[in-house]
Structures are given as structure tokens and as C-alpha cells.
Amino acid sequence: MIALEKWPGSGVPDNPGAWLMATAKHRAIDLLRRKALDERKREQLGREREGPGTPDFEAAIDEDIGDDLLRLMFTACHPVLSTEARVALTLRLLGGLTTGEIARAFLVPETTIAQRIVRAKKALADAHVPFEVPRGAERAARLSSVLEVLYLVFNEGYAATAGDDWVRPGLSEDAIRLGRILAELAPTEPEVHGLVALMEIQASRFGARVGPSGEPVLLLDQDRARWDQLLIRRGLAALARAEALGGSEGWYTLQAAIAACHARARTAEETDWRRIVALYDSLARVASSPVVTLNRAVAVAMAFGPAAGLEIVDALSGEPSLAGYHLLPSVRGDLLRKLGRLDEARAEFERAASLTQNVRERELLQERARAAIDERRRP
């Protein structure tokens, strides 16, 4: 079945027999690892939560491992914890990452992650958080927390905020795996499918997001033949499920619809930018933010010209929450370059480079600043 899904898009491998054997081996190892992980984490969480006044977790566990995973997700992402603690605990309990691996992924000391995990477990015990899937309004609030954590983990893998690598696919793969599990266990929740759709479609670009030397490749410059068509099909199917369940105006479903506009375009020039602007308008109605406005400005520039986009960006210049956000001067520099205001563009790219903590992104922005200088010098 995997061969039938993969080979039409990637081509038949040189040694099909070896490919099938390796794939079967990896799937078997993954299955065994996941079963062992599930049992270990259930026992670990149960032991650490036991004590005076806390429920007996082993007695609360049903035989259905799927339900146990869902309970673990909702417990690890309880709103009593900070976002940082939820991310650390989720990756430790459900992602299978060691404390050291989580620390390296987010570029913080291992002791910091260890303390977050210990404090998170203590907070859950002190609050007597039950090991169960909540119902009603509490379930909606907790589900939002679960989705937020998966979203944050995926985004850190898709566009690393710091470090030497432009992407960290391992983090995104963990988020997608957990998202798929959640979609199977909560099949009637549209935003679960919306988030899975978003992650699948975005992940389809990993093969084209990085050049031969690890350098970033921006969306409009990517070789779309290298996009993973299987992930795109999966993402579009998840998007259709979310919309069929009435979730077309959901936060994650709208972002997935924007990603789908790019995925459906055979070339960058065929992108339906007016549709993307309309989707950003809907996104702003759901949850307006300066970042959403900045992203909308990019779409407006592509649909109606750089001057229209720059007007929106300039209106954000005094926004306190974007004061240290490197993508604001980056976007502004790109629009200024398109308008021929090259000296201003160079200054914006240099400012963006000084703000980012990601080495690869800094190099890209510095290169764009040099390109603006070179373009300025041309007769």
C-alpha cells in the first residue's frame, strides 16, 4: 500500500525489494517503539501522579490504548500549565523525545527543560487534574490547548526560531503524528482536521524549503516538483473533512485553506492571491492579530501591487508586539525593493538580519541586503 502511494509521485526506487524490506522493517520498529512508549508513559505518568489525595491512574486506564493516548494529550496540555510546560511535557510523554533532545530542539539548557517537566507534573498533581477526556465547555477549552501545543511544535520545526538550521523536520513530524492520532480519536472535531490539514500541506514543502547547502529557499522560489504530493493529497482530504464538519471558519482550517491555495497552484504565478486575501480577511475576523495583518499585507501586495501592501505594513510600524519581530522589516524590505526604493530596502533587510536568531535566515537576509546594493549600482 505504501509503495502504491509513494512510487507514483517519487518514482520506483532502484532496488524495489530492498525498499519494501526497509519500509516494512521501519514500520515494524515504529509500531513496537510506539507500543512500548505508550505503556512506559502510562506507567510513568501514573507513578508520578500517585500520592496522598491523587487518584489511582492505573485504575482509571481502560484497555483501549487510543483512549489512553487521548487522555495523555489532554492531561499534558491542561491549561493549568504554561505554554512552555505543555510543549515540554507533550514532547516528553507523547513525542518520545528525551529531555536533552527537547532542550537541543529549543536551544535552552537541559536543566531548564527538566525543571519545566518536573514543575508541570507537580502542578498537575497539586491541582488534582483527573486522567480523563473532559466534556462540554471544559473539553473545548482543553482541546484548544492541545491544538495550540501541536501547532507551536510544528511551526518550530517548519521555521526554526533560532539555531543553525532553517528547518527541524523531526519536530514537525512529531506534531503531525500526534495530530493524526488525535484526528482518529476525535473524528467529529473540525479544528482537529483543520490543523492536520495545515501541517500536512505545509510539511509537503520540506524537500523544497532547503537548498543543497542547507540554505533557505523561499516559497515563490521553490521547485514545486519537489513538493510531496502524497502529503498534499492527505492535507486536502483533511481540509475537506474539516469543512464538511462545519469548520470552514476555524482558525486552523482557514490557515489550511490558505496553504491549499499554494498547494493547488502548479506554478507560483498561478497562485490565487485574491482568494488568499479573502481568507486572511476571514482569519482576521476569527482572531485578529498584528501577525495576521502582516501576512495579509503580503497577500495584498501580490494581488494588488507592492504599494498596496506597503501601506498596510507601514501602519504596523508602531505596533509594540512587532518591535522585535524580524519579519516586519523583512516584508517591508521586500516591498520597498519591488518599488525600486533600494537604499531603504537594504536598511530594512539589514535590520531584519540583526533581529533574527536563526543563522540561516540571517545569512539569507544579509544576502538580500547585498543584492539590493548591487541592484542599486546597476546603470
Side-chain angles (χ1 to χ4, degrees), residues 99-110 112-113 116 156 160-165 168 171 357-359:
T99 303
E101 287 170 337
I102 299 170
R104 287 193 296 275
F106 291 96
L107 300 178
V108 297
E110 186 171 345
T112 299
I113 294 296
R116 285 179 188 172
E156 181 62 27
T161 54
D164 297 330
D165 298 316
R168 293 173 182 161
L171 283 178
Q357 299 301 307
N358 185 279
V359 173

Side-chain angles (χ1 to χ4, degrees), residues 297-359:
V298 174
V300 167
M302 296 300 296
F304 305 107
L310 184 62
E311 183 178 353
I312 298 171
V313 172
D314 284 345
L316 292 170
S317 60
E319 173 59 45
S321 64
L322 298 181
Y325 189 53
H326 70 282
L327 291 182
L328 178 61
S330 175
V331 169
R332 190 167 189 273
D334 185 61
L335 298 178
L336 288 168
R337 183 192 62 78
K338 291 177 179 177
L339 291 169
R341 295 162 59 177
L342 300 175
D343 288 335
E344 294 172 83
R346 174 194 54 76
E348 290 296 317
F349 286 135
E350 289 176 346
R351 179 167 177 265
S354 72
L355 291 174
T356 183
Q357 299 301 307
N358 185 279
V359 173

Side-chain angles (χ1 to χ4, degrees), residues 224 227 259-272:
R224 298 187 178 213
W227 288 3
C261 287
H262 295 294
R264 291 181 174 124
R266 291 175 299 176
T267 66
E269 292 72 25
E270 292 181 19
T271 306
D272 189 350

Side-chain angles (χ1 to χ4, degrees), residues 64-119:
D64 186 344
I65 187 63
D67 286 344
D68 290 341
L69 282 171
L70 190 57
R71 291 189 188 99
L72 279 170
M73 283 190 186
F74 278 89
T75 302
C77 294
H78 193 283
V80 73
L81 304 177
S82 68
T83 298
E84 292 80 5
R86 294 176 208 164
V87 170
L89 192 58
T90 299
L91 288 176
R92 186 72 184 93
L93 291 177
L94 294 165
L97 275 68
T98 67
T99 303
E101 287 170 337
I102 299 170
R104 287 193 296 275
F106 291 96
L107 300 178
V108 297
E110 186 171 345
T111 53
T112 299
I113 294 296
Q115 289 169 0
R116 285 179 188 172
I117 292 172
V118 169
R119 285 196 295 265

Side-chain angles (χ1 to χ4, degrees), residues 233-313:
R233 288 195 297 273
R234 285 177 170 170
L236 294 177
L239 175 59
R241 284 193 291 274
E243 292 173 340
L245 289 167
S248 59
E249 292 296 306
W251 170 252
Y252 299 110
T253 303
L254 283 168
Q255 291 184 72
I258 292 170
C261 287
H262 295 294
R264 291 181 174 124
R266 291 175 299 176
T267 66
E269 292 72 25
E270 292 181 19
T271 306
D272 189 350
W273 287 106
R274 290 178 181 247
R275 166 71 173 153
I276 292 175
V277 171
L279 288 167
Y280 272 118
D281 289 339
S282 297
L283 199 61
R285 288 193 294 272
V286 171
S288 180
S289 75
V291 173
V292 169
T293 302
L294 180 62
N295 289 333
R296 179 180 177 275
V298 174
V300 167
M302 296 300 296
F304 305 107
L310 184 62
E311 183 178 353
I312 298 171
V313 172

Side-chain angles (χ1 to χ4, degrees), residues 140-162:
R142 297 267 287 278
L143 178 62
S144 174
S145 179
V146 171
L147 296 179
E148 179 189 13
V149 165
L150 295 183
Y151 181 67
L152 289 173
V153 172
F154 177 86
N155 283 344
E156 181 62 27
Y158 185 75
T161 54

